[in-house]
Amino acid sequence: MSPPKIKICGLTSREALDATIAARADYCGFVFYPPSPRNLAPETARALAAHAGARIGKVGLFVDPEDALLAAGIEAGSLDAVQLHGGETPARAAEVRARFGLPVWKAIAVSSAADIGRAEEYREAADLILFDARTPKGALPGGMGLKFDWSLLAGYAGAMPWGLAGGLAPGNVGEAIRATGAPLVDTSTGVESAPGEKDPGRIAAFCAAVRAR
């Protein structure tokens, strides 16, 4: 069985991007959400995207975005996919996919088995489901380093491609993959030395741990 795909989210510097590419991650994540410490200004996203070129897939994270923000982020980041990380409905996810012509990843906040079941609602509206930990009310919707009960995904066989996020780090990602069978893993906080500051060593360790599971 091939190892899971890897996404390193919330990159803000060329150093972090270089480390992500060197570690052979499949995707880098650019955040377009102003409250986040990982939010990118358009000019920064444009510079990082140009530096990355076609060496890695580029995914833009948005939270309940208006079309103008989506358009600006897609252009600046030369995005290959759009990740919707807020309360977007299936209808909105389908609208974004149709309007911008890019694959849509929909994050679902998980705290119970019922949340896993919500993935089915997006079957015709999104291209990939990302199961992430539910964060406290009023907090950021992701990037908090929280994880959920991975046993909720044991034996999961949904109809759509999916990935696992939430509290993943070099020390636990192997366990997470064994527990869930996740075909894609996504980390942000778990490879940081401080909020928004990626650690090249941790990025390398995370990718190595995924492949050594």
Side-chain angles (χ1 to χ4, degrees), residues 58-159:
K58 297 176 286 293
V59 181
L61 184 154
F62 301 84
V63 179
D64 298 308
E66 295 182 354
D67 285 353
L69 178 59
L70 280 164
I74 289 168
E75 185 277 327
S78 297
L79 300 183
D80 298 299
V82 168
Q83 180 176 323
L84 299 177
H85 215 95
E88 301 88 1
T89 64
R92 177 57 174 156
E95 179 183 41
V96 169
R97 183 167 66 174
R99 182 160 298 173
F100 295 99
L102 288 176
V104 167
W105 297 15
K106 179 65 184 88
I108 291 182
V110 176
S111 59
S112 70
D115 296 320
I116 304 295
R118 289 183 53 224
E120 184 65 22
E121 300 173 14
Y122 292 87
R123 187 172 182 175
E124 304 298 327
D127 299 274
L128 181 143
I129 294 295
L130 189 64
F131 294 110
D132 198 357
R134 185 177 298 280
T135 58
K137 188 173 182 179
L140 292 172
M144 300 284 290
L146 303 176
K147 68 184 185 75
F148 62 90
D149 180 0
W150 295 327
S151 69
L152 294 172
L153 281 169
Y156 179 71

Coordinates of all heavy atoms in Angstrom, one line a residue, residues 58-159:
K58 N -0.8 23.2 -4.8 CA -1.0 24.4 -4.0 C -2.5 24.4 -3.6 O -3.4 24.5 -4.5 CB -0.6 25.6 -4.7 CG 0.9 25.7 -4.9 CD 1.4 26.9 -5.7 CE 1.0 26.8 -7.2 NZ 1.7 25.7 -7.9
V59 N -2.8 24.4 -2.3 CA -4.2 24.4 -1.9 C -4.5 25.6 -1.0 O -3.7 26.0 -0.1 CB -4.5 23.1 -1.0 CG1 -6.0 23.1 -0.5 CG2 -4.2 21.9 -1.8
G60 N -5.5 26.4 -1.4 CA -5.8 27.6 -0.6 C -6.9 27.3 0.4 O -8.0 26.8 0.1
L61 N -6.7 27.7 1.6 CA -7.7 27.5 2.7 C -8.5 28.8 2.9 O -7.9 29.9 3.1 CB -7.0 27.2 4.0 CG -7.9 26.8 5.2 CD1 -7.1 25.9 6.2 CD2 -8.3 28.1 6.0
F62 N -9.8 28.7 2.8 CA -10.7 29.8 3.0 C -11.8 29.5 4.0 O -12.1 28.3 4.2 CB -11.4 30.2 1.7 CG -10.5 30.5 0.5 CD1 -9.9 29.5 -0.2 CD2 -10.2 31.8 0.2 CE1 -9.0 29.8 -1.3 CE2 -9.3 32.2 -0.8 CZ -8.7 31.2 -1.6
V63 N -12.3 30.4 4.7 CA -13.4 30.2 5.7 C -14.6 31.1 5.4 O -14.5 32.3 5.4 CB -12.9 30.6 7.1 CG1 -14.0 30.4 8.2 CG2 -11.6 29.7 7.5
D64 N -15.6 30.4 4.9 CA -16.9 31.1 4.5 C -16.5 32.3 3.6 O -17.0 33.5 3.9 CB -17.7 31.6 5.7 CG -18.1 30.4 6.6 OD1 -18.7 29.5 6.0 OD2 -17.9 30.4 7.8
P65 N -15.8 32.1 2.5 CA -15.3 33.3 1.7 C -16.4 33.8 0.8 O -17.2 33.0 0.3 CB -14.2 32.6 0.9 CG -14.6 31.2 0.7 CD -15.3 30.8 2.0
E66 N -16.3 35.1 0.5 CA -17.0 35.7 -0.6 C -16.3 35.4 -1.9 O -15.1 35.1 -1.9 CB -17.2 37.2 -0.4 CG -18.0 37.5 0.9 CD -18.3 39.0 1.0 OE1 -17.6 39.8 0.2 OE2 -19.0 39.4 1.9
D67 N -17.0 35.5 -3.0 CA -16.3 35.2 -4.3 C -15.1 36.1 -4.6 O -14.2 35.6 -5.2 CB -17.3 35.3 -5.4 CG -18.3 34.2 -5.5 OD1 -18.1 33.2 -4.7 OD2 -19.3 34.2 -6.2
A68 N -15.2 37.3 -4.1 CA -14.0 38.2 -4.4 C -12.8 37.7 -3.8 O -11.7 37.8 -4.4 CB -14.4 39.6 -4.0
L69 N -12.9 37.3 -2.5 CA -11.7 36.8 -1.8 C -11.2 35.5 -2.5 O -10.0 35.3 -2.7 CB -12.0 36.5 -0.4 CG -10.9 35.9 0.5 CD1 -9.6 36.8 0.5 CD2 -11.3 35.7 1.9
L70 N -12.1 34.6 -2.9 CA -11.7 33.4 -3.6 C -11.0 33.7 -4.9 O -9.9 33.1 -5.1 CB -13.0 32.6 -3.9 CG -13.6 31.7 -2.8 CD1 -15.0 31.3 -3.1 CD2 -12.7 30.5 -2.5
A71 N -11.5 34.6 -5.6 CA -10.9 35.0 -6.9 C -9.5 35.5 -6.7 O -8.5 35.1 -7.4 CB -11.8 36.0 -7.7
A72 N -9.4 36.4 -5.7 CA -8.0 37.0 -5.4 C -7.1 35.9 -5.0 O -5.9 35.9 -5.4 CB -8.2 38.1 -4.4
G73 N -7.5 35.0 -4.1 CA -6.6 34.0 -3.5 C -6.2 33.0 -4.6 O -5.0 32.6 -4.7
I74 N -7.2 32.6 -5.4 CA -6.9 31.6 -6.5 C -5.8 32.2 -7.5 O -4.9 31.5 -7.9 CB -8.2 31.3 -7.2 CG1 -9.0 30.4 -6.3 CG2 -7.9 30.5 -8.5 CD1 -10.5 30.2 -6.8
E75 N -6.0 33.5 -7.8 CA -5.1 34.1 -8.7 C -3.7 34.3 -8.1 O -2.7 33.9 -8.7 CB -5.6 35.5 -9.2 CG -4.8 36.2 -10.3 CD -3.6 36.9 -9.7 OE1 -3.7 37.5 -8.6 OE2 -2.6 37.0 -10.4
A76 N -3.6 34.8 -6.9 CA -2.4 35.1 -6.2 C -1.6 33.8 -5.9 O -0.4 33.7 -6.1 CB -2.6 35.9 -4.9
G77 N -2.3 32.8 -5.5 CA -1.6 31.5 -5.1 C -1.5 30.5 -6.2 O -1.0 29.4 -6.0
S78 N -2.0 30.8 -7.4 CA -2.0 29.9 -8.5 C -2.5 28.5 -8.0 O -1.8 27.5 -8.2 CB -0.6 29.7 -9.1 OG -0.1 30.9 -9.7
L79 N -3.6 28.5 -7.4 CA -4.1 27.4 -6.7 C -4.5 26.2 -7.6 O -5.1 26.4 -8.7 CB -5.3 27.8 -5.8 CG -5.0 28.8 -4.7 CD1 -6.3 29.1 -3.9 CD2 -3.8 28.5 -3.8
D80 N -4.3 25.0 -7.0 CA -4.7 23.8 -7.7 C -6.0 23.3 -7.1 O -6.7 22.4 -7.7 CB -3.6 22.7 -7.6 CG -2.3 23.2 -8.3 OD1 -2.4 23.4 -9.5 OD2 -1.3 23.3 -7.6
A81 N -6.3 23.7 -5.9 CA -7.6 23.3 -5.2 C -7.9 24.3 -4.2 O -7.1 25.1 -3.7 CB -7.4 21.9 -4.5
V82 N -9.2 24.4 -3.8 CA -9.8 25.3 -2.8 C -10.2 24.5 -1.6 O -11.0 23.5 -1.8 CB -11.0 26.1 -3.4 CG1 -11.7 26.8 -2.3 CG2 -10.5 27.1 -4.5
Q83 N -9.8 24.8 -0.5 CA -10.2 24.2 0.8 C -11.2 25.1 1.5 O -10.8 26.2 1.9 CB -9.0 23.8 1.6 CG -9.4 23.1 3.0 CD -8.1 22.7 3.7 OE1 -7.1 22.3 3.2 NE2 -8.2 22.9 5.1
L84 N -12.4 24.6 1.7 CA -13.4 25.4 2.4 C -13.4 24.9 3.9 O -13.8 23.7 4.1 CB -14.8 25.2 1.8 CG -14.8 25.7 0.3 CD1 -16.2 25.5 -0.3 CD2 -14.5 27.2 0.2
H85 N -13.1 25.8 4.8 CA -12.9 25.4 6.2 C -13.9 26.0 7.2 O -13.6 26.1 8.4 CB -11.5 25.7 6.6 CG -10.9 24.7 7.5 ND1 -10.1 23.6 7.1 CD2 -11.0 24.5 8.9 CE1 -9.7 22.9 8.1 NE2 -10.2 23.4 9.2
G86 N -15.0 26.5 6.6 CA -16.0 27.1 7.5 C -17.3 26.3 7.5 O -17.3 25.1 7.5
G87 N -18.4 27.1 7.6 CA -19.7 26.4 7.6 C -20.4 26.3 6.3 O -21.6 26.3 6.2
E88 N -19.6 26.2 5.2 CA -20.1 26.2 3.8 C -21.0 25.0 3.6 O -20.7 23.8 4.0 CB -19.0 26.1 2.8 CG -18.0 27.3 2.9 CD -16.8 27.1 3.9 OE1 -16.8 26.0 4.5 OE2 -16.0 28.0 4.0
T89 N -22.2 25.2 3.1 CA -23.1 24.2 2.8 C -22.7 23.4 1.6 O -21.9 23.8 0.8 CB -24.5 24.8 2.6 OG1 -24.5 25.6 1.4 CG2 -25.0 25.6 3.8
P90 N -23.3 22.2 1.3 CA -23.1 21.5 0.1 C -23.4 22.4 -1.1 O -22.6 22.3 -2.1 CB -24.0 20.3 0.2 CG -24.1 20.0 1.6 CD -24.1 21.4 2.3
A91 N -24.4 23.2 -1.1 CA -24.8 24.0 -2.2 C -23.7 25.0 -2.5 O -23.3 25.3 -3.6 CB -26.1 24.7 -1.9
R92 N -23.1 25.6 -1.4 CA -22.1 26.6 -1.6 C -20.8 25.9 -2.1 O -20.1 26.5 -3.0 CB -21.8 27.3 -0.3 CG -20.6 28.3 -0.3 CD -20.8 29.4 -1.3 NE -19.8 30.4 -1.3 CZ -19.4 31.2 -2.3 NH1 -20.0 31.1 -3.5 NH2 -18.5 32.1 -2.1
A93 N -20.5 24.8 -1.6 CA -19.3 24.1 -2.1 C -19.4 23.8 -3.6 O -18.5 24.0 -4.4 CB -19.1 22.8 -1.3
A94 N -20.6 23.3 -4.0 CA -20.9 23.0 -5.4 C -20.8 24.3 -6.3 O -20.3 24.3 -7.4 CB -22.2 22.4 -5.6
E95 N -21.3 25.4 -5.7 CA -21.2 26.7 -6.4 C -19.8 27.1 -6.6 O -19.4 27.6 -7.7 CB -22.0 27.7 -5.6 CG -22.0 29.1 -6.3 CD -22.7 30.1 -5.4 OE1 -22.5 30.1 -4.1 OE2 -23.4 31.0 -5.9
V96 N -18.9 27.0 -5.6 CA -17.5 27.4 -5.7 C -16.8 26.5 -6.8 O -16.1 27.0 -7.6 CB -16.8 27.2 -4.3 CG1 -15.3 27.4 -4.5 CG2 -17.4 28.3 -3.4
R97 N -17.1 25.2 -6.7 CA -16.5 24.3 -7.7 C -16.9 24.7 -9.1 O -16.0 24.7 -10.0 CB -16.8 22.9 -7.4 CG -16.1 21.9 -8.3 CD -16.3 20.5 -7.8 NE -17.6 20.0 -7.8 CZ -18.0 18.7 -7.5 NH1 -17.0 17.9 -7.2 NH2 -19.2 18.3 -7.6
A98 N -18.1 25.0 -9.3 CA -18.6 25.3 -10.7 C -18.1 26.7 -11.1 O -17.7 26.8 -12.3 CB -20.1 25.3 -10.7
R99 N -18.1 27.6 -10.2 CA -17.7 29.0 -10.6 C -16.2 29.1 -10.9 O -15.8 29.9 -11.8 CB -18.1 30.0 -9.5 CG -17.8 31.4 -9.8 CD -18.7 32.3 -8.9 NE -20.1 32.1 -9.2 CZ -21.1 32.7 -8.5 NH1 -20.8 33.5 -7.5 NH2 -22.3 32.4 -8.8
F100 N -15.4 28.4 -10.1 CA -13.9 28.6 -10.3 C -13.2 27.5 -11.0 O -12.0 27.6 -11.3 CB -13.3 28.9 -8.9 CG -13.8 30.2 -8.3 CD1 -14.8 30.2 -7.4 CD2 -13.3 31.4 -8.7 CE1 -15.3 31.4 -6.8 CE2 -13.7 32.6 -8.2 CZ -14.7 32.6 -7.2
G101 N -13.9 26.4 -11.2 CA -13.4 25.3 -12.0 C -12.2 24.6 -11.4 O -11.3 24.0 -12.0
L102 N -12.2 24.6 -10.0 CA -11.1 23.9 -9.3 C -11.7 22.9 -8.4 O -12.8 23.0 -7.9 CB -10.3 24.9 -8.4 CG -9.4 25.9 -9.2 CD1 -8.8 26.8 -8.2 CD2 -8.3 25.1 -9.9
P103 N -10.9 21.8 -8.0 CA -11.4 20.8 -7.0 C -11.6 21.5 -5.7 O -10.9 22.4 -5.3 CB -10.2 19.8 -6.9 CG -9.5 20.0 -8.2 CD -9.6 21.4 -8.6
V104 N -12.7 21.1 -5.0 CA -13.0 21.7 -3.7 C -12.8 20.6 -2.6 O -13.3 19.5 -2.7 CB -14.5 22.1 -3.7 CG1 -14.9 22.4 -2.2 CG2 -14.6 23.4 -4.5
W105 N -12.0 21.0 -1.6 CA -11.8 20.2 -0.4 C -12.7 20.8 0.6 O -12.6 22.0 0.9 CB -10.4 20.2 0.0 CG -9.4 19.6 -0.9 CD1 -9.5 19.3 -2.2 CD2 -8.0 19.2 -0.6 NE1 -8.4 18.8 -2.7 CE2 -7.4 18.7 -1.8 CE3 -7.3 19.3 0.6 CZ2 -6.1 18.3 -1.8 CZ3 -6.0 18.8 0.6 CH2 -5.4 18.3 -0.6
K106 N -13.5 20.0 1.3 CA -14.4 20.5 2.4 C -14.0 19.9 3.7 O -14.0 18.7 3.9 CB -15.9 20.2 2.1 CG -16.8 20.7 3.2 CD -16.9 22.2 3.2 CE -17.7 22.7 4.4 NZ -17.0 22.8 5.7
A107 N -13.6 20.8 4.6 CA -13.3 20.4 6.0 C -14.6 20.2 6.8 O -15.5 21.0 6.7 CB -12.4 21.4 6.6
I108 N -14.6 19.1 7.5 CA -15.7 18.9 8.4 C -15.2 18.8 9.9 O -14.2 18.0 10.1 CB -16.5 17.6 8.0 CG1 -17.2 17.8 6.7 CG2 -17.4 17.1 9.1 CD1 -18.0 16.6 6.2
A109 N -15.7 19.6 10.8 CA -15.3 19.6 12.2 C -15.9 18.4 12.8 O -17.1 18.1 12.8 CB -15.8 20.9 12.8
V110 N -15.1 17.6 13.5 CA -15.5 16.3 14.1 C -15.4 16.3 15.6 O -14.3 16.7 16.2 CB -14.6 15.2 13.5 CG1 -15.0 13.8 14.2 CG2 -14.8 15.1 12.0
S111 N -16.5 15.9 16.3 CA -16.4 15.6 17.7 C -17.2 14.4 18.0 O -17.2 13.9 19.2 CB -16.9 16.8 18.5 OG -18.2 17.1 18.2
S112 N -18.0 13.9 17.0 CA -18.8 12.7 17.3 C -19.0 11.9 16.0 O -18.6 12.4 14.9 CB -20.2 13.1 17.8 OG -20.9 13.7 16.7
A113 N -19.5 10.7 16.1 CA -19.7 9.9 14.9 C -20.7 10.6 13.9 O -20.6 10.4 12.7 CB -20.3 8.5 15.3
A114 N -21.6 11.3 14.4 CA -22.6 12.0 13.6 C -21.9 13.0 12.6 O -22.3 13.2 11.5 CB -23.6 12.8 14.4
D115 N -20.8 13.6 13.1 CA -20.0 14.5 12.2 C -19.4 13.7 11.0 O -19.3 14.3 9.9 CB -18.9 15.2 13.0 CG -19.5 16.1 14.1 OD1 -20.6 16.8 13.8 OD2 -19.0 16.1 15.2
I116 N -18.9 12.5 11.3 CA -18.3 11.7 10.2 C -19.4 11.5 9.1 O -19.1 11.5 7.9 CB -17.8 10.4 10.7 CG1 -16.8 10.6 11.8 CG2 -17.2 9.5 9.6 CD1 -15.5 11.3 11.4
G117 N -20.6 11.2 9.6 CA -21.7 11.0 8.7 C -22.1 12.1 7.8 O -22.7 11.9 6.7
R118 N -21.7 13.3 8.2 CA -22.0 14.5 7.4 C -21.3 14.5 6.0 O -21.7 15.3 5.1 CB -21.7 15.8 8.2 CG -22.6 16.1 9.3 CD -22.2 17.4 10.0 NE -22.2 18.5 9.0 CZ -21.2 19.4 8.9 NH1 -20.2 19.4 9.8 NH2 -21.2 20.4 8.0
A119 N -20.2 13.8 5.9 CA -19.4 13.7 4.7 C -20.3 13.4 3.5 O -20.2 13.9 2.4 CB -18.3 12.8 4.8
E120 N -21.3 12.5 3.7 CA -22.2 12.1 2.6 C -22.9 13.2 2.0 O -23.3 13.2 0.8 CB -23.1 11.0 3.2 CG -24.0 10.4 2.1 CD -23.3 9.6 1.1 OE1 -22.1 9.1 1.4 OE2 -23.8 9.4 0.0
E121 N -23.2 14.3 2.8 CA -23.9 15.4 2.3 C -23.2 16.1 1.2 O -23.8 16.8 0.3 CB -24.2 16.4 3.4 CG -25.0 15.9 4.6 CD -25.1 16.9 5.7 OE1 -24.8 18.0 5.5 OE2 -25.5 16.4 6.8
Y122 N -21.9 16.0 1.1 CA -21.0 16.7 0.2 C -20.6 15.8 -1.0 O -19.8 16.2 -1.8 CB -19.8 17.2 0.8 CG -20.1 18.3 1.8 CD1 -20.4 18.0 3.1 CD2 -20.1 19.7 1.4 CE1 -20.8 19.0 4.0 CE2 -20.4 20.7 2.3 CZ -20.8 20.3 3.6 OH -21.1 21.3 4.5
R123 N -21.3 14.6 -1.1 CA -20.9 13.7 -2.1 C -20.9 14.2 -3.6 O -20.0 13.9 -4.4 CB -21.8 12.4 -2.0 CG -21.4 11.3 -2.9 CD -22.2 10.1 -2.6 NE -21.8 8.9 -3.4 CZ -22.4 7.7 -3.2 NH1 -23.3 7.5 -2.3 NH2 -22.0 6.7 -3.9
E124 N -21.9 15.0 -3.9 CA -22.0 15.6 -5.2 C -21.4 17.0 -5.3 O -21.5 17.7 -6.3 CB -23.4 15.6 -5.7 CG -24.1 14.2 -5.7 CD -23.4 13.2 -6.6 OE1 -22.9 13.7 -7.6 OE2 -23.4 12.0 -6.3
A125 N -20.9 17.5 -4.2 CA -20.6 19.0 -4.1 C -19.1 19.2 -3.9 O -18.6 20.3 -4.3 CB -21.3 19.6 -2.9
A126 N -18.3 18.3 -3.4 CA -16.9 18.5 -3.2 C -16.1 17.3 -3.8 O -16.7 16.3 -4.1 CB -16.7 18.6 -1.7
D127 N -14.8 17.5 -3.8 CA -13.9 16.4 -4.4 C -13.2 15.6 -3.3 O -12.7 14.5 -3.6 CB -12.9 17.1 -5.3 CG -13.6 17.8 -6.5 OD1 -13.9 17.1 -7.5 OD2 -13.9 19.0 -6.3
L128 N -13.0 16.2 -2.1 CA -12.4 15.6 -1.0 C -12.9 16.1 0.3 O -13.2 17.3 0.4 CB -10.8 15.8 -1.1 CG -10.0 15.2 0.0 CD1 -8.6 14.7 -0.7 CD2 -9.6 16.2 1.1
I129 N -13.0 15.2 1.3 CA -13.5 15.6 2.6 C -12.3 15.6 3.5 O -11.5 14.6 3.5 CB -14.6 14.7 3.2 CG1 -15.8 14.8 2.3 CG2 -14.8 14.9 4.6 CD1 -16.5 16.1 2.4
L130 N -12.1 16.6 4.3 CA -11.0 16.7 5.3 C -11.6 16.7 6.7 O -12.2 17.6 7.1 CB -10.2 17.9 5.1 CG -8.9 18.0 5.9 CD1 -7.9 16.9 5.4 CD2 -8.2 19.4 5.6
F131 N -11.4 15.6 7.4 CA -11.9 15.5 8.8 C -10.9 16.2 9.7 O -9.8 15.8 9.8 CB -12.1 14.0 9.2 CG -13.2 13.3 8.4 CD1 -12.9 12.3 7.5 CD2 -14.5 13.6 8.5 CE1 -13.8 11.7 6.7 CE2 -15.5 13.0 7.8 CZ -15.2 12.0 6.9
D132 N -11.4 17.2 10.4 CA -10.6 18.0 11.3 C -11.2 18.0 12.7 O -12.5 17.8 12.8 CB -10.4 19.4 10.8 CG -9.2 20.1 11.4 OD1 -8.5 19.6 12.3 OD2 -8.9 21.3 10.9
A133 N -10.5 18.4 13.7 CA -11.0 18.4 15.1 C -11.9 19.7 15.2 O -11.6 20.8 14.7 CB -9.9 18.5 16.1
R134 N -13.0 19.5 15.9 CA -13.9 20.6 16.2 C -13.2 21.5 17.2 O -12.7 21.0 18.2 CB -15.2 20.2 16.7 CG -16.2 21.3 16.9 CD -17.6 20.8 17.4 NE -18.2 19.9 16.4 CZ -18.8 20.3 15.3 NH1 -19.0 21.6 15.1 NH2 -19.4 19.5 14.5
T135 N -13.2 22.8 17.0 CA -12.5 23.7 17.9 C -13.6 24.4 18.8 O -14.7 24.5 18.4 CB -11.7 24.8 17.2 OG1 -12.5 25.5 16.3 CG2 -10.6 24.1 16.3
P136 N -13.2 25.0 19.9 CA -14.1 25.7 20.8 C -14.8 26.8 20.1 O -14.2 27.5 19.2 CB -13.3 26.2 22.0 CG -12.1 25.3 21.9 CD -11.8 25.0 20.5
K137 N -16.0 27.1 20.5 CA -16.8 28.2 19.9 C -16.0 29.5 20.1 O -15.5 29.8 21.2 CB -18.2 28.3 20.6 CG -19.1 29.3 19.9 CD -20.5 29.3 20.5 CE -21.4 30.3 19.8 NZ -22.8 30.2 20.3
G138 N -15.9 30.3 19.0 CA -15.2 31.5 19.1 C -13.7 31.4 18.7 O -13.0 32.5 18.6
A139 N -13.2 30.2 18.6 CA -11.8 30.0 18.3 C -11.7 29.9 16.8 O -12.7 29.8 16.0 CB -11.3 28.7 19.0
L140 N -10.4 29.9 16.3 CA -10.2 29.6 14.9 C -10.8 28.2 14.5 O -10.7 27.3 15.3 CB -8.7 29.7 14.6 CG -8.0 31.0 14.7 CD1 -6.5 30.8 14.5 CD2 -8.5 32.0 13.7
P141 N -11.3 28.1 13.3 CA -11.9 26.8 12.9 C -10.8 25.7 12.7 O -11.2 24.5 12.5 CB -12.6 27.1 11.6 CG -11.9 28.3 11.0 CD -11.4 29.1 12.2
G142 N -9.6 26.0 12.7 CA -8.5 25.0 12.5 C -7.2 25.6 12.9 O -7.1 26.7 13.4
G143 N -6.1 24.8 12.8 CA -4.8 25.3 13.2 C -4.6 25.5 14.7 O -3.8 26.4 15.1
M144 N -5.4 24.8 15.5 CA -5.3 24.9 16.9 C -4.5 23.8 17.6 O -4.3 23.8 18.8 CB -6.7 25.0 17.5 CG -7.6 26.1 17.0 SD -7.1 27.7 17.7 CE -7.7 27.5 19.4
G145 N -4.1 22.8 16.8 CA -3.3 21.7 17.4 C -4.2 20.7 18.1 O -3.7 19.9 18.9
L146 N -5.5 20.7 17.9 CA -6.4 19.8 18.6 C -6.7 18.6 17.7 O -6.7 18.7 16.5 CB -7.8 20.5 18.9 CG -7.8 21.8 19.7 CD1 -9.2 22.4 19.7 CD2 -7.2 21.6 21.1
K147 N -6.9 17.5 18.4 CA -7.2 16.2 17.7 C -8.5 15.7 18.2 O -9.0 16.0 19.3 CB -6.1 15.2 17.7 CG -5.8 14.6 19.1 CD -4.6 13.6 19.0 CE -4.4 12.9 20.3 NZ -5.3 11.8 20.5
F148 N -9.1 14.8 17.4 CA -10.4 14.2 17.8 C -10.1 12.7 18.0 O -9.0 12.2 17.8 CB -11.5 14.4 16.8 CG -11.3 13.9 15.4 CD1 -11.7 12.6 15.1 CD2 -10.7 14.7 14.4 CE1 -11.5 12.1 13.8 CE2 -10.5 14.2 13.1 CZ -10.9 12.9 12.8
D149 N -11.1 11.9 18.4 CA -11.0 10.5 18.6 C -10.9 9.8 17.3 O -11.9 9.6 16.6 CB -12.3 10.0 19.4 CG -12.3 8.6 19.7 OD1 -11.3 7.9 19.3 OD2 -13.2 8.1 20.3
W150 N -9.7 9.3 17.0 CA -9.5 8.7 15.7 C -10.3 7.4 15.5 O -10.5 7.0 14.4 CB -8.0 8.4 15.5 CG -7.1 9.6 15.5 CD1 -7.5 10.9 14.9 CD2 -5.8 9.8 15.9 NE1 -6.5 11.8 15.1 CE2 -5.4 11.1 15.7 CE3 -4.9 8.9 16.6 CZ2 -4.1 11.6 16.0 CZ3 -3.6 9.4 16.9 CH2 -3.3 10.8 16.6
S151 N -10.7 6.8 16.6 CA -11.5 5.5 16.5 C -12.8 5.8 15.7 O -13.4 4.8 15.2 CB -11.7 4.9 17.8 OG -12.6 5.7 18.6
L152 N -13.2 7.0 15.7 CA -14.5 7.3 14.9 C -14.3 7.0 13.5 O -15.3 6.9 12.8 CB -14.8 8.8 15.1 CG -15.2 9.3 16.5 CD1 -15.4 10.8 16.6 CD2 -16.5 8.6 17.0
L153 N -13.1 7.0 13.0 CA -12.8 6.7 11.6 C -12.3 5.3 11.3 O -12.0 5.0 10.2 CB -11.8 7.7 11.0 CG -12.3 9.1 10.7 CD1 -11.1 10.1 10.4 CD2 -13.2 9.1 9.5
A154 N -12.3 4.5 12.3 CA -11.8 3.1 12.2 C -12.7 2.4 11.2 O -14.0 2.4 11.4 CB -11.8 2.4 13.5
G155 N -12.2 1.8 10.1 CA -13.0 1.1 9.2 C -13.8 2.0 8.2 O -14.6 1.5 7.5
Y156 N -13.5 3.3 8.3 CA -14.3 4.3 7.4 C -14.1 3.9 6.0 O -13.0 3.7 5.5 CB -13.9 5.7 7.7 CG -14.6 6.7 6.9 CD1 -16.0 7.0 7.1 CD2 -14.0 7.4 5.8 CE1 -16.7 7.9 6.3 CE2 -14.7 8.3 5.1 CZ -16.0 8.6 5.3 OH -16.7 9.5 4.6
A157 N -15.3 3.9 5.3 CA -15.2 3.5 3.8 C -16.2 4.5 3.1 O -17.2 4.0 2.5 CB -15.6 2.1 3.6
G158 N -16.0 5.8 3.2 CA -16.8 6.7 2.5 C -16.7 6.6 1.0 O -15.8 6.1 0.5
A159 N -17.7 7.3 0.4 CA -17.7 7.2 -1.1 C -16.7 8.2 -1.7 O -16.5 8.2 -3.0 CB -19.1 7.5 -1.6

